[in-house]
Amino acid sequence: MNGQQECKPLDEALAFIKANASFLVVSHVQPDGDAISSTVAVSWLLERLGKNVVLVNESELPSRLQYLYRFDRIHSLKQQKPEASFDAVIAVDCADHRRIGEVASMIPEGCPLLNIDHHPTNDGFGTVNLIRPDAAATVEILYDLIERAGLELDLDCATAIYTGLLTDTGGFRYSNTSPRVMEIAAKLLAIGVSGSDLADHLLEKMTVAKLKLLQMALARLAFSEDLKIGWLYIGKDDLKECGAVPEDLEGIVNYALNVDGVEVGILFKETADGGVKASLRSAGKADVAQIAQVFGGGGHVRASGCRLDGALTEAMSRLVEEVRKALV
Amino acid sequence: MNGQQECKPLDEALAFIKANASFLVVSHVQPDGDAISSTVAVSWLLERLGKNVVLVNESELPSRLQYLYRFDRIHSLKQQKPEASFDAVIAVDCADHRRIGEVASMIPEGCPLLNIDHHPTNDGFGTVNLIRPDAAATVEILYDLIERAGLELDLDCATAIYTGLLTDTGGFRYSNTSPRVMEIAAKLLAIGVSGSDLADHLLEKMTVAKLKLLQMALARLAFSEDLKIGWLYIGKDDLKECGAVPEDLEGIVNYALNVDGVEVGILFKETADGGVKASLRSAGKADVAQIAQVFGGGGHVRASGCRLDGALTEAMSRLVEEVRKALV
């Protein structure tokens, strides 16, 4: 990040910050680790620069992130809409304006907005845009921004940045784990971040409820005869029965996908209205976006989703049959 | 690794290598990722320096590592004892001479031996010793040795070193994941190592047999009423029934330990002779080495093991009762 060309967007972002005195910081609805970590890292930066800050998110905040700096200052619109006046907005980790959700209603028309994001699909909705699709996480961009501002990270901010890296790279396992990600991680660990505690807390631990759900799902894991398709299902009362919440479903489909030889893993969820939602994951050969489209769904080549009508068993065989055809 | 003091052991190791023309490279019995990766990385170094190399291990080689450079040149004594003549031995990742196992019988009395290892308990059994307990893995020491030799890593050797780092740090999750580990990982990725493919292959994928075993074990997961102790068991015919091998048991105890609030996780395995083996893991509060000692076992504060006589159910309640006492 030393080339003049690469520094220009950072300098523009810093100029935006310096030109204003008070900020609303917002991230996307149903925030993940990177969204919340980016929110608090921006708060840290703004505070260091003597700015006033109000942090707002539309959704419930994930309580597992409550160790983060300023976590308790993030207002959730699900609780209460805060009284806030501000000169400018900073949106982090939002690919487009709709991702801000209901918080948009707090933003006056024409209010200047700085858009900091790493999604390749970002539509540049800000007054100023700092978009770096090569970054594994929005916190990676914030690391560079803070460095460019000449500030020295403390443990609070370093922990937030490590959290965002860890969650957006699946614990340094996804293909976005670049040399730069590892270099930054090295520097954060040197500051004193306890990487192993964070990995344990965020990636290894689970609630009893989630474990019960996993138990239940695994007991039902089924495969096609050629072992190329694996699937699990969760009935409409199962979450309640396990005391689990919808986010506990996260990652369960991987138990089907990660079996040697499996090309497509599917998680079926019976919905309250009697339909079925399916999450599809591909090991690479099958384009699961195309398969989902057959049922009016969509997504990416390796991760997609769709809704199916009818009873669970019947819906399962319909989708599995479609996957089978795609794998021929 | 720039201080003169830190370079002296590296230079001594390089002098040892330069003084000899042909080498036997050996690692510990039942080799793990670091042991095999270190073996092939040393082979790479020796070849670059124009030496003759023979690679031998006592045990069956883990086939999931067969993508490694020179993997097919490692002789397993379980297959055949190779005809080999050599001037010197290099032992990697072995804390003491016994860890070499049966390969010791190939080494003539008085044969010079270079001992490269990261275990803090290493007893310095070599003629020359390069022991660095601060290293997360033996491959980390080899990275420094290769750098000190002035050689540039290629993709083959970089992949081996990344493999050792990945497996010995649990995918950059254990507390041995130092800033230095991440710096090296950054450089290896920059060389072109596919970190995500390796993580997927080594840490995410499992065989159908292992998954069946996990299914079976999870279905039996039980907790104490206060949810501080979690345990699972594997009966004496279960491995066979699942088509699983003993190494498939690896990691299963963590499903008990990693539940929120659990202080001690236990995996019970019924043995063929009618006894019971227990693996204990502690989240930190309980000293499971002490608990294991009550039954004549031992280990570390956070990971230990012991054998119990008698029937499974009875053995389980005896050990759980002992853990309960330790947690009061």
Side-chain angles (χ1 to χ4, degrees):
Chain A
M1 284 311 302
N2 294 318
Q4 214 168 347
Q5 217 182 346
E6 275 130 357
C7 287
K8 200 172 160 244
L10 294 175
D11 289 339
E12 282 172 1
L14 288 174
F16 180 95
I17 292 171
K18 282 172 188 156
N20 294 284
S22 58
F23 294 85
L24 169 72
V25 181
V26 59
S27 185
H28 61 77
V29 299
Q30 295 171 341
D32 57 8
D34 190 28
I36 297 294
S37 299
S38 294
T39 301
V40 305
V42 166
S43 183
W44 184 92
L45 169 63
L46 293 173
E47 289 166 42
R48 289 291 154 121
L49 297 174
K51 309 297 180 179
N52 287 321
V53 192
V54 57
L55 312 173
V56 186
N57 193 283
E58 181 197 284
S59 309
E60 294 278 359
L61 304 175
S63 59
R64 71 197 164 101
L65 296 172
Q66 65 192 2
Y67 63 87
L68 286 174
Y69 175 77
R70 297 299 190 226
F71 179 87
D72 55 351
R73 300 240 188 125
I74 307 175
H75 300 271
S76 161
L77 289 192
K78 295 281 172 227
Q79 310 292 335
Q80 208 189 349
K81 193 166 176 170
E83 290 296 323
S85 69
F86 45 85
D87 307 328
V89 179
I90 301 181
V92 285
D93 207 35
C94 296
D96 58 59
H97 199 272
R98 277 165 316 170
R99 292 286 285 155
I100 295 173
E102 285 297 308
V103 182
S105 69
M106 292 177 62
I107 304 173
E109 182 113 7
C111 185
L113 188 148
L114 170 59
N115 167 14
I116 306 178
D117 185 35
H118 73 118
H119 292 95
T121 52
N122 193 297
D123 62 8
F125 64 90
T127 322
V128 172
N129 297 288
L130 174 53
I131 301 161
R132 290 236 318 266
D134 64 306
T138 297
V139 288
E140 184 181 337
I141 308 171
L142 294 174
Y143 179 89
D144 289 335
L145 191 64
I146 288 166
E147 195 175 56
R148 185 73 186 161
L151 295 170
E152 207 167 307
L153 286 180
D154 67 2
L155 188 55
D156 285 334
C157 191
T159 300
I161 292 176
Y162 200 92
T163 297
L165 290 181
L166 203 60
T167 52
D168 254 27
T169 62
F172 308 114
R173 291 185 187 182
Y174 301 156
S175 58
N176 60 355
T177 309
S178 63
R180 178 77 181 140
V181 165
M182 295 311 238
E183 279 164 21
I184 295 174
K187 285 176 184 163
L188 301 172
L189 291 173
I191 289 169
V193 170
S194 177
S196 57
D197 284 349
L198 290 177
D200 203 44
H201 177 66
L202 296 170
L203 306 171
E204 299 284 343
K205 289 277 178 195
M206 49 176 118
T207 58
V208 178
K210 171 152 189 172
L211 190 73
K212 277 189 192 161
L213 200 66
L214 179 62
Q215 246 175 1
M216 194 178 261
L218 274 194
R220 295 166 180 168
L221 179 57
F223 296 99
S224 58
E225 308 91 71
D226 59 4
L227 291 176
K228 286 187 179 161
I229 316 169
W231 62 93
L232 323 116
Y233 68 89
I234 299 288
K236 66 178 192 301
D237 300 320
D238 292 342
L239 248 66
K240 209 168 137 189
E241 198 179 303
C242 297
V245 291
E247 72 184 65
D248 289 333
L249 292 165
E250 226 176 79
I252 286 186
V253 65
N254 292 327
Y255 282 86
L257 178 66
N258 283 336
V259 173
D260 281 344
V262 166
E263 284 297 334
V264 175
I266 317 169
L267 175 66
F268 293 96
K269 289 160 279 180
E270 213 177 13
T271 58
D273 59 14
V276 176
K277 272 175 75 176
S279 304
L280 295 101
R281 296 290 180 276
S282 168
K285 275 188 197 158
D287 177 347
V288 289
Q290 239 171 44
I291 298 170
Q293 274 161 22
V294 174
F295 301 92
H300 307 276
V301 175
R302 284 178 175 242
S304 70
C306 61
R307 280 181 170 280
L308 300 131
D309 297 326
L312 186 61
T313 357
E314 189 263 330
M316 294 205 297
S317 32
R318 259 193 302 146
L319 183 56
V320 169
E321 191 44 44
E322 204 60 41
V323 175
R324 210 187 296 265
K325 275 194 255 165
L327 281 171
V328 171
Chain B
M1 285 310 304
N2 293 318
Q4 215 168 349
Q5 216 180 349
E6 277 132 353
C7 287
K8 200 171 158 246
L10 294 176
D11 290 339
E12 282 171 2
L14 288 174
F16 180 95
I17 292 171
K18 281 171 191 160
N20 294 285
S22 57
F23 294 84
L24 170 73
V25 182
V26 59
S27 185
H28 61 75
V29 300
Q30 294 170 345
D32 57 9
D34 190 28
I36 297 294
S37 299
S38 295
T39 301
V40 305
V42 166
S43 183
W44 184 91
L45 169 63
L46 293 173
E47 290 166 42
R48 289 291 152 123
L49 298 174
K51 309 296 180 181
N52 288 320
V53 193
V54 57
L55 313 173
V56 185
N57 194 283
E58 181 197 285
S59 310
E60 293 278 0
L61 305 176
S63 58
R64 70 196 165 102
L65 296 173
Q66 65 192 4
Y67 63 87
L68 285 175
Y69 175 77
R70 295 301 189 224
F71 179 86
D72 54 351
R73 298 239 189 126
I74 308 175
H75 300 271
S76 160
L77 290 193
K78 295 280 172 228
Q79 310 293 336
Q80 206 188 351
K81 193 167 176 169
E83 289 298 321
S85 68
F86 45 85
D87 307 329
V89 178
I90 301 181
V92 286
D93 206 36
C94 297
D96 58 59
H97 200 272
R98 277 167 316 172
R99 293 285 285 154
I100 295 174
E102 285 296 308
V103 182
S105 70
M106 292 177 62
I107 305 173
E109 182 114 9
C111 186
L113 187 147
L114 170 59
N115 168 14
I116 306 178
D117 186 35
H118 73 119
H119 292 96
T121 54
N122 192 296
D123 63 7
F125 63 89
T127 322
V128 172
N129 297 287
L130 173 55
I131 301 161
R132 290 237 319 266
D134 64 305
T138 297
V139 287
E140 184 181 337
I141 309 171
L142 295 174
Y143 179 90
D144 289 335
L145 190 64
I146 288 166
E147 195 176 55
R148 185 71 185 163
L151 295 171
E152 205 166 308
L153 287 180
D154 66 2
L155 188 56
D156 284 334
C157 192
T159 299
I161 292 176
Y162 200 92
T163 297
L165 291 181
L166 203 60
T167 52
D168 255 27
T169 62
F172 308 113
R173 291 185 186 181
Y174 300 157
S175 59
N176 60 356
T177 309
S178 63
R180 178 77 182 138
V181 165
M182 296 311 238
E183 278 164 22
I184 295 174
K187 284 177 186 164
L188 301 173
L189 292 174
I191 288 168
V193 170
S194 177
S196 58
D197 284 348
L198 291 176
D200 203 43
H201 176 66
L202 296 169
L203 306 170
E204 300 284 343
K205 289 276 177 195
M206 49 176 118
T207 57
V208 178
K210 171 152 189 172
L211 188 74
K212 277 189 191 161
L213 200 67
L214 178 62
Q215 244 176 2
M216 194 179 261
L218 274 194
R220 296 163 178 169
L221 180 55
F223 296 99
S224 59
E225 309 89 71
D226 59 5
L227 291 178
K228 285 187 180 162
I229 316 170
W231 63 92
L232 324 115
Y233 69 88
I234 298 289
K236 66 179 192 300
D237 301 320
D238 291 343
L239 248 67
K240 209 169 135 190
E241 197 178 303
C242 297
V245 290
E247 73 183 65
D248 289 333
L249 291 164
E250 228 174 77
I252 287 186
V253 65
N254 292 327
Y255 282 87
L257 178 67
N258 283 336
V259 173
D260 281 344
V262 166
E263 285 297 336
V264 175
I266 317 169
L267 175 67
F268 293 96
K269 287 160 282 180
E270 214 177 13
T271 57
D273 60 13
V276 176
K277 273 177 75 178
S279 303
L280 296 100
R281 296 289 181 277
S282 167
K285 275 189 197 158
D287 179 347
V288 289
Q290 239 171 45
I291 298 170
Q293 274 161 23
V294 175
F295 301 93
H300 307 275
V301 176
R302 285 177 174 242
S304 71
C306 61
R307 280 180 170 281
L308 299 131
D309 297 326
L312 186 61
T313 356
E314 189 264 330
M316 294 205 297
S317 31
R318 261 193 302 146
L319 183 55
V320 169
E321 191 47 42
E322 205 59 40
V323 175
R324 211 187 297 266
K325 276 194 254 166
L327 281 171
V328 170

